[in-house]
Amino acid sequence: MNELFDRDILSGEQFTLDEIQTVMGVAHDMRRRVAHGTHLDNCHGKVLASLFFEPSTRTRLSFETAMLRLGGQVIGFSSAESTSVSKGETLSDTIQMADQFANVIAMRHPRVGSAHEAAAVAVRPVINGGDGIGQHPTQALLDLFTLQQELGDFDGRTIALVGDLRHGRTVHSAVEIYKHFNCRLILVSPEQLMLQRPMVESLHKSGVAVTETTDLESALSASDAVYMTRIQKERFADPSEYEKVKGCYVLNRELIMRTNSRIVVLHPLPRVDEISTDVDDLPGAAYFRQAQNGVYVRMALIAMVLGKA
Amino acid sequence: MNELFDRDILSGEQFTLDEIQTVMGVAHDMRRRVAHGTHLDNCHGKVLASLFFEPSTRTRLSFETAMLRLGGQVIGFSSAESTSVSKGETLSDTIQMADQFANVIAMRHPRVGSAHEAAAVAVRPVINGGDGIGQHPTQALLDLFTLQQELGDFDGRTIALVGDLRHGRTVHSAVEIYKHFNCRLILVSPEQLMLQRPMVESLHKSGVAVTETTDLESALSASDAVYMTRIQKERFADPSEYEKVKGCYVLNRELIMRTNSRIVVLHPLPRVDEISTDVDDLPGAAYFRQAQNGVYVRMALIAMVLGKA
Amino acid sequence: MNELFDRDILSGEQFTLDEIQTVMGVAHDMRRRVAHGTHLDNCHGKVLASLFFEPSTRTRLSFETAMLRLGGQVIGFSSAESTSVSKGETLSDTIQMADQFANVIAMRHPRVGSAHEAAAVAVRPVINGGDGIGQHPTQALLDLFTLQQELGDFDGRTIALVGDLRHGRTVHSAVEIYKHFNCRLILVSPEQLMLQRPMVESLHKSGVAVTETTDLESALSASDAVYMTRIQKERFADPSEYEKVKGCYVLNRELIMRTNSRIVVLHPLPRVDEISTDVDDLPGAAYFRQAQNGVYVRMALIAMVLGKA
């Protein structure tokens, strides 16, 4: 049985390098088989509970597509309003209920730590699809998968992480994954939204070369790939502070052509205006391919925790 | 063909003892086969319309899991807002539409009698998943199934029904089912929320020994199982009346250990605070197993009305 | 490969007579096979993205039933609120995301032209399930299928189109389909809601005999079938104008028996009060059969664009 069998997927830091590489290998295999039109039935007779307590399209549909393409089935909900949560049911009880119905649970919830709470009461494996500003480990794994696909190899590469590094759960999980690799990170953010000190220190200790800056242009010139994230207005106490920084972190075609025309561009999506649409047809614009890779990585994770890889 | 083939499942009172026992037998078989990892395809090529006009998680997901585990498929909606009801469509028209698409219809609707209305216009079998304060027959059957599983046998047993017995549709359907058995019922409720007189009389006539009380403690001491239900604040004209009674009907570990440590505890869920979480790990706490049994009983009912048991 | 393979289905005017007849033939075959209880697996391993940005039950459930009855699977959403649109994502980005997950996209969106926008960015086939007051081509095809089923043959027949012909997307698409046939149309509407001049002229040019009137009674007497649509109050600048016309266009049993007792009655549904329920059991009341035909026509279209007919 594989090393993730019957385990929860809760945060980036839970993975060893070996486990990460196994997931990448299985995801690569899933990609190849779907591309060849193979009908998989690894998860025939299995049911995924897709429990989204807050709005999501990409992550939810990606998990559901993954389970369906494995030959399994899906139950669930896409917002808390139409559920028993509106009757006062606790997260713990909702999870224990789903645990009776399904073979594996994927969930998103606004509260940090909610996925750990769920895993503590569920017998079935729980996969964290985002817990507030906490973690989003499947996103971090699909980002890595995409960087490996786009760059050929991830080791020795320089990645610029741009935007709200303080609150971005995607970034928090990514940092835990990148630690295992011989890469360089350039952290680009306004000062209020810098990555928390413990995470930066932890990267240093792991041997990852980290530079912090507020300057996107120089970061682009020095990087093989840039990972854009949304800066959310509501994170700023002073709206004028928001206005000052938001313009700096818009990636457009002109900026890319001027600084680094071959740079690989990732974004967890949805974007609002961090990446102009004139970037979309550049060869390095990888964010929609990244969304597709999410299906393969989640196929790998679901199949592995169910022992069906 | 089985005796439920092509029939509607609308209320507890429609069942003969023979039919109830057949459903229990088929549900038991479903449970065994799912536990053995058997992939059922009884309902391959069949479609369930899951029409939930008001919020539900447990009942909806339970019906949908049941159909998927039978190898069938599911269409539907989980709230009236995103449907044509918001354009003024009548229940009758919505049902006649679903009747064209699906092979069987499961529905929940806030109006008493709605499931009967639906059954009157639908060609396909209609299964009532709750019609306001009316009936909830599949819940009553899964409650019985759970009592039989937990107690070994239901005949000769004493069950305390606790909470809002006046408005609880679960209780209304259960009473109709329990009539067929040689059991004793202790009805525990505040005076405003006592079971309606005709139902009590009907129980008496059927030979069920019924005691009514407002005292939970004595009922626990005298019962083999306790069936808790939510008391809903909005049912009381005078809020101070609510405050008086709600505290009496909270089941906690201390109370159980003091009165009847081996009592089997059921609840249709969701609970708010009628059962403290410190009860959850007592061996008699059967409410989550009860939720799982709901899948087997609904598998039995769906398969039977489709002639695929 | 069939002539619709890998093509988008966006408007009524895109079809040649040959293509229309092929769709009718495939839909007829689907109908026969479903009726015989054949389990189709044409689309096994394929995924439909069912993206409904505004409320719908009939069209959404019909598309989803079609895909499931073809052996395929479905992902999607039934309202914009629980999606990333609420985070500011553009239609184009949402479509490009779904394009990575699914094999075919069915969508409804309130903006005219939205389906064309989607088709411009999607690699996968896009099927328009209604774009504001624009087009609704699958409805027009299922209307034609129903007329052929009910009347035996469509050529030489007279059809009365009744209601809001100005804003009705169903009518707009139907007109483009009917052009190819040797039929007569009687357009019945209040003056404010008459079919746009270019569409009327285009019908004339195609050799379709068109009469326009405000009088429903005479139209019924002269027609083989009547196609009712909702008149929406909000389309009138002056509410008293609405009050004047709405009564004229209510079809009830008495009116039908008096004018044309064998007339075939269609309606895209949902109805509000345009057709009294006392019409429902007349032999010509075809609107619920029409809803069922929608499944067969959409099975045909999905299978054809995927090359699996």
Side-chain angles (χ1 to χ4, degrees):
Chain A
M1 215 39 93
N2 75 75
E3 50 268 68
L4 294 187
F5 174 59
D6 208 25
R7 280 180 52 195
D8 303 304
I9 309 293
L10 300 178
S11 70
E13 66 184 336
Q14 77 177 64
F15 294 102
T16 64
L17 178 57
D18 258 12
E19 288 166 359
I20 294 169
Q21 280 169 339
T22 306
V23 174
M24 295 299 110
V26 176
H28 188 78
D29 191 47
M30 294 293 178
R31 185 180 202 251
R32 200 175 43 77
R33 295 169 79 175
V34 171
H36 289 189
T38 313
H39 295 169
L40 303 176
D41 64 353
N42 304 43
C43 293
H44 182 63
K46 303 294 179 189
V47 174
L48 167 73
S50 168
L51 309 183
F52 280 72
F53 295 85
E54 62 171 20
S56 160
T57 355
R58 207 163 328 275
T59 304
R60 181 174 67 82
L61 296 185
S62 172
F63 269 114
E64 297 181 12
T65 304
M67 188 54 163
L68 296 171
R69 290 211 181 277
L70 287 165
Q73 290 287 11
V74 178
I75 57 169
F77 49 80
S78 58
S79 72
E81 286 84 55
S82 62
T83 72
S84 292
V85 171
S86 64
K87 300 181 192 166
E89 186 169 60
T90 62
L91 173 63
S92 169
D93 275 15
T94 302
I95 294 297
Q96 284 180 84
M97 177 266 295
D99 198 39
Q100 306 296 324
F101 297 168
N103 301 95
V104 54
I105 296 169
M107 63 177 282
R108 168 170 293 186
H109 192 282
R111 191 165 66 237
V112 175
S114 51
H116 284 83
E117 284 173 54
V121 295
V123 172
R124 310 296 196 171
V126 170
I127 306 180
N128 183 2
D131 59 326
I133 62 165
Q135 291 271 325
H136 195 355
T138 64
Q139 179 74 43
L141 290 165
L142 78 89
D143 293 344
L144 176 66
F145 185 84
T146 305
L147 288 167
Q148 288 183 339
Q149 292 280 330
E150 299 285 329
L151 298 171
D153 192 7
F154 185 57
D155 264 306
R157 299 298 189 159
T158 301
I159 316 297
L161 299 175
V162 182
D164 183 351
L165 307 184
R166 180 172 181 77
H167 303 102
R169 60 189 168 197
T170 298
V171 170
H172 299 170
S173 289
V175 157
E176 300 293 341
I177 298 289
Y178 296 166
K179 271 185 194 173
H180 296 283
F181 295 85
N182 177 26
C183 63
R184 282 184 296 273
L185 297 182
I186 305 179
L187 306 179
V188 187
S189 70
E191 295 204 354
Q192 306 97 311
L193 300 179
M194 286 170 74
L195 192 64
Q196 289 95 322
R197 289 310 91 192
M199 288 194 195
V200 176
E201 281 153 26
S202 160
L203 280 167
H204 279 304
K205 267 186 219 152
S206 311
V208 174
V210 181
T211 316
E212 297 185 86
T213 177
T214 60
D215 179 35
L216 177 58
E217 284 207 32
S218 62
L220 291 175
S221 303
S223 300
D224 297 294
V226 56
Y227 191 92
M228 298 295 296
T229 67
R230 264 190 303 159
I231 294 192
Q232 293 168 289
K233 201 174 179 172
E234 58 271 30
R235 302 298 187 193
F236 287 79
D238 179 353
S240 69
E241 287 298 309
Y242 171 71
E243 293 305 320
K244 253 187 261 175
V245 299
K246 73 167 182 173
C248 314
Y249 301 131
V250 171
L251 207 57
N252 59 34
R253 191 185 186 94
E254 183 274 326
L255 177 60
I256 291 175
M257 296 311 287
R258 178 156 49 83
T259 55
N260 188 349
S261 63
R262 293 190 307 187
I263 197 165
V264 169
V265 183
L266 272 70
H267 191 301
L269 303 176
R271 64 174 157 184
V272 179
D273 49 19
E274 309 82 46
I275 304 180
S276 306
T277 55
D278 65 7
V279 174
D280 292 5
D281 55 0
L282 289 179
Y287 27 96
F288 290 117
R289 293 192 289 275
Q290 183 184 3
Q292 185 173 94
N293 290 335
V295 177
Y296 308 128
V297 169
R298 290 179 178 118
M299 287 175 77
L301 291 169
I302 292 171
M304 289 176 79
V305 299
L306 290 174
K308 299 287 183 185
Chain B
M1 215 36 96
N2 75 75
E3 51 267 69
L4 294 187
F5 174 58
D6 208 25
R7 282 180 52 196
D8 304 304
I9 308 295
L10 301 178
S11 70
E13 66 184 336
Q14 78 177 60
F15 295 102
T16 65
L17 178 57
D18 258 13
E19 289 166 0
I20 293 168
Q21 282 170 339
T22 305
V23 173
M24 295 299 110
V26 177
H28 188 78
D29 191 47
M30 293 295 177
R31 184 179 202 254
R32 200 175 43 76
R33 295 169 79 175
V34 171
H36 289 188
T38 313
H39 296 168
L40 304 175
D41 65 351
N42 303 43
C43 293
H44 182 63
K46 303 294 179 188
V47 174
L48 166 73
S50 171
L51 310 183
F52 279 72
F53 295 85
E54 60 172 21
S56 161
T57 356
R58 207 162 329 272
T59 304
R60 181 174 68 81
L61 296 186
S62 172
F63 269 114
E64 297 181 13
T65 304
M67 188 54 163
L68 296 172
R69 289 211 181 276
L70 287 164
Q73 290 287 12
V74 178
I75 58 169
F77 48 80
S78 57
S79 73
E81 286 84 56
S82 63
T83 72
S84 293
V85 170
S86 64
K87 300 180 192 167
E89 186 168 60
T90 62
L91 173 63
S92 169
D93 275 16
T94 303
I95 295 297
Q96 284 179 85
M97 176 266 295
D99 199 39
Q100 306 296 324
F101 297 168
N103 300 95
V104 54
I105 296 169
M107 63 178 281
R108 168 169 292 185
H109 191 282
R111 192 164 66 235
V112 174
S114 51
H116 284 84
E117 285 175 53
V121 297
V123 173
R124 308 298 194 170
V126 170
I127 305 180
N128 182 3
D131 60 325
I133 62 163
Q135 290 272 324
H136 195 357
T138 64
Q139 178 75 44
L141 291 165
L142 77 90
D143 293 343
L144 176 65
F145 184 83
T146 304
L147 287 167
Q148 288 183 338
Q149 293 281 330
E150 301 285 329
L151 298 172
D153 193 5
F154 184 58
D155 264 306
R157 299 297 189 160
T158 302
I159 316 296
L161 298 175
V162 183
D164 183 351
L165 307 183
R166 183 175 179 77
H167 302 102
R169 59 189 169 199
T170 298
V171 170
H172 299 171
S173 290
V175 157
E176 300 292 342
I177 298 289
Y178 296 166
K179 271 186 196 174
H180 297 284
F181 295 85
N182 177 27
C183 63
R184 283 185 294 274
L185 295 182
I186 305 178
L187 307 178
V188 188
S189 70
E191 296 204 353
Q192 306 97 312
L193 301 178
M194 286 170 75
L195 192 64
Q196 288 96 322
R197 290 309 91 189
M199 288 192 196
V200 176
E201 282 152 28
S202 162
L203 281 166
H204 278 303
K205 267 186 221 153
S206 311
V208 174
V210 180
T211 317
E212 297 186 86
T213 177
T214 58
D215 179 35
L216 177 58
E217 285 208 31
S218 62
L220 292 174
S221 302
S223 299
D224 298 294
V226 56
Y227 192 92
M228 298 296 294
T229 66
R230 263 190 304 159
I231 294 192
Q232 294 168 290
K233 200 173 180 173
E234 58 271 30
R235 302 297 186 193
F236 288 77
D238 179 352
S240 68
E241 287 298 310
Y242 171 70
E243 294 304 320
K244 254 187 262 175
V245 298
K246 73 167 182 174
C248 313
Y249 300 132
V250 171
L251 207 57
N252 59 36
R253 191 185 186 96
E254 182 275 325
L255 177 60
I256 290 176
M257 296 311 287
R258 178 155 50 83
T259 55
N260 188 349
S261 64
R262 294 190 306 187
I263 197 165
V264 168
V265 183
L266 272 70
H267 191 301
L269 304 178
R271 64 175 158 183
V272 179
D273 48 19
E274 310 82 46
I275 304 180
S276 305
T277 54
D278 64 8
V279 174
D280 293 6
D281 54 1
L282 288 180
Y287 29 94
F288 291 117
R289 292 193 289 276
Q290 183 184 3
Q292 186 174 92
N293 290 334
V295 177
Y296 308 128
V297 169
R298 291 179 177 118
M299 287 175 76
L301 290 169
I302 293 171
M304 289 177 79
V305 300
L306 290 175
K308 299 287 181 186
Chain C
M1 217 34 96
N2 75 76
E3 51 268 67
L4 294 187
F5 174 58
D6 208 24
R7 281 179 52 195
D8 304 305
I9 308 294
L10 301 177
S11 71
E13 67 184 337
Q14 78 178 62
F15 294 101
T16 65
L17 179 57
D18 259 11
E19 288 166 359
I20 293 168
Q21 282 169 339
T22 305
V23 173
M24 296 298 110
V26 176
H28 188 78
D29 191 47
M30 293 294 177
R31 185 179 201 253
R32 200 174 43 78
R33 295 169 79 175
V34 171
H36 289 188
T38 314
H39 295 170
L40 304 175
D41 64 352
N42 304 44
C43 293
H44 182 64
K46 303 293 179 187
V47 174
L48 167 73
S50 170
L51 309 183
F52 280 72
F53 295 86
E54 61 171 21
S56 160
T57 357
R58 209 162 326 274
T59 304
R60 181 173 68 81
L61 295 186
S62 172
F63 268 114
E64 297 181 13
T65 304
M67 187 54 163
L68 295 172
R69 289 212 182 276
L70 287 165
Q73 290 287 13
V74 178
I75 57 169
F77 50 80
S78 57
S79 72
E81 285 85 56
S82 62
T83 71
S84 294
V85 171
S86 64
K87 301 181 192 166
E89 186 169 61
T90 62
L91 174 63
S92 169
D93 275 16
T94 301
I95 295 297
Q96 284 179 84
M97 177 266 295
D99 199 39
Q100 306 295 325
F101 296 168
N103 300 95
V104 54
I105 295 168
M107 64 178 281
R108 169 169 292 185
H109 191 282
R111 192 166 63 235
V112 174
S114 51
H116 284 84
E117 285 174 53
V121 297
V123 173
R124 309 296 195 170
V126 170
I127 306 180
N128 183 3
D131 60 326
I133 63 164
Q135 291 271 324
H136 195 357
T138 65
Q139 179 73 44
L141 290 165
L142 77 90
D143 293 344
L144 176 66
F145 184 83
T146 304
L147 288 167
Q148 289 184 339
Q149 292 280 330
E150 300 284 328
L151 298 171
D153 192 8
F154 184 59
D155 265 305
R157 300 296 190 161
T158 302
I159 316 297
L161 299 175
V162 183
D164 182 352
L165 308 183
R166 182 172 179 77
H167 303 102
R169 59 190 170 198
T170 298
V171 170
H172 299 171
S173 290
V175 156
E176 299 292 342
I177 298 289
Y178 296 166
K179 271 185 194 173
H180 297 283
F181 295 86
N182 177 27
C183 64
R184 282 185 295 275
L185 297 181
I186 305 180
L187 307 179
V188 187
S189 69
E191 295 204 353
Q192 307 97 312
L193 300 178
M194 287 170 72
L195 192 63
Q196 288 95 320
R197 289 310 91 191
M199 288 193 195
V200 176
E201 282 153 26
S202 161
L203 280 166
H204 278 303
K205 266 185 220 152
S206 312
V208 173
V210 180
T211 317
E212 297 185 86
T213 177
T214 59
D215 179 35
L216 177 58
E217 285 208 31
S218 63
L220 291 174
S221 302
S223 300
D224 298 294
V226 55
Y227 192 94
M228 298 296 293
T229 67
R230 262 190 305 159
I231 295 191
Q232 294 168 289
K233 201 173 181 176
E234 59 272 28
R235 302 298 187 192
F236 287 78
D238 179 352
S240 68
E241 287 297 311
Y242 171 71
E243 294 304 319
K244 253 188 262 174
V245 299
K246 72 166 183 174
C248 312
Y249 300 133
V250 172
L251 208 57
N252 58 35
R253 190 183 186 96
E254 182 276 326
L255 177 61
I256 290 175
M257 295 312 287
R258 178 156 49 85
T259 55
N260 188 348
S261 64
R262 293 190 307 186
I263 197 165
V264 168
V265 183
L266 272 70
H267 191 302
L269 303 178
R271 64 175 158 182
V272 179
D273 49 18
E274 310 83 44
I275 304 180
S276 306
T277 54
D278 65 7
V279 174
D280 293 5
D281 55 1
L282 289 179
Y287 28 96
F288 290 117
R289 293 192 289 276
Q290 183 184 2
Q292 186 172 94
N293 291 334
V295 176
Y296 309 128
V297 169
R298 290 179 178 117
M299 286 175 78
L301 290 169
I302 292 171
M304 290 176 79
V305 300
L306 290 175
K308 300 286 181 184

